[in-house]
Amino acid sequence: MALFGNAHTIDPTQAQQDYARLLGHGEQVHAAFLLIRDTMLFTDRRLIMVDKQGITGKKVEYHSIPYRSITHFAVETAGTFDLDAELKIWISGTPTPVEKTFTKGVDIYEVQAILTQFVAR
C-alpha cells in the first residue's frame, strides 16, 4: 500500500534507534508510521514529521510539533469502498491542517488515542 501513499505502522523500537539523533534525553517513541519515504513519530513529548525531499530523498526536513501546539485533530475511519483512514491535525497559527492517510490495516482509533493522551495534558 506504500505505493499509493498510505501510511503503515513501523516498530517504535526501531524508530527509536533510527531517529535517536532527533530525540531529546529520555524521549521515547510511542508509535511510528511510514508514508512511502516520510515518517511520523509520536513521542512522549512531541509529534515529529520527517519529510524526505527530492528524487533521492537525501534532503530531509524535520518538523517538531509540540503537542501543546495542536489545537484540534480529526480522524476519518475507512469505509466499505474507501479503504483508507485519514488524520487531520490543526496547529496553532496555521489555518490548514496537516493531513495524513493511513491504510485500513492501521487502527486509526489507536492513532486518535495517542493524540488524546498527549494533547489533553
Side-chain angles (χ1 to χ4, degrees):
M1 293 300 279
L3 294 176
F4 297 109
N6 293 334
H8 64 276
T9 305
I10 57 176
D11 179 38
T13 305
Q14 185 63 47
Q16 182 88 27
Q17 293 172 1
D18 292 347
Y19 295 99
R21 293 176 60 188
L22 295 177
L23 303 175
H25 180 72
E27 187 172 11
Q28 295 294 310
V29 175
H30 286 268
F33 299 92
L34 183 66
L35 177 59
I36 301 180
R37 299 181 307 172
D38 299 342
T39 305
M40 291 178 60
L41 306 172
F42 292 89
T43 78
D44 55 345
R45 300 180 188 170
R46 60 196 164 132
L47 171 61
I48 300 171
M49 301 180 84
V50 181
D51 180 15
K52 292 189 178 180
Q53 301 175 355
I55 294 173
T56 63
K58 289 185 179 183
K59 183 177 179 181
V60 182
E61 185 172 47
Y62 301 96
H63 298 270
S64 178
I65 304 167
Y67 292 117
R68 69 181 176 276
S69 297
I70 297 174
T71 60
H72 176 91
F73 63 89
V75 294
E76 180 180 300
T77 60
T80 303
F81 298 107
D82 182 14
L83 300 178
D84 53 329
E86 294 180 8
L87 169 66
K88 295 179 184 176
I89 300 172
W90 284 264
I91 301 166
S92 179
T94 309
T96 308
V98 174
E99 297 184 42
K100 296 295 177 183
T101 303
F102 296 80
T103 62
K104 193 171 184 177
V106 171
D107 184 357
I108 196 69
Y109 294 107
E110 177 185 351
V111 175
Q112 189 269 162
I114 292 167
L115 276 170
T116 299
Q117 176 184 355
F118 296 118
V119 171
R121 287 184 176 178

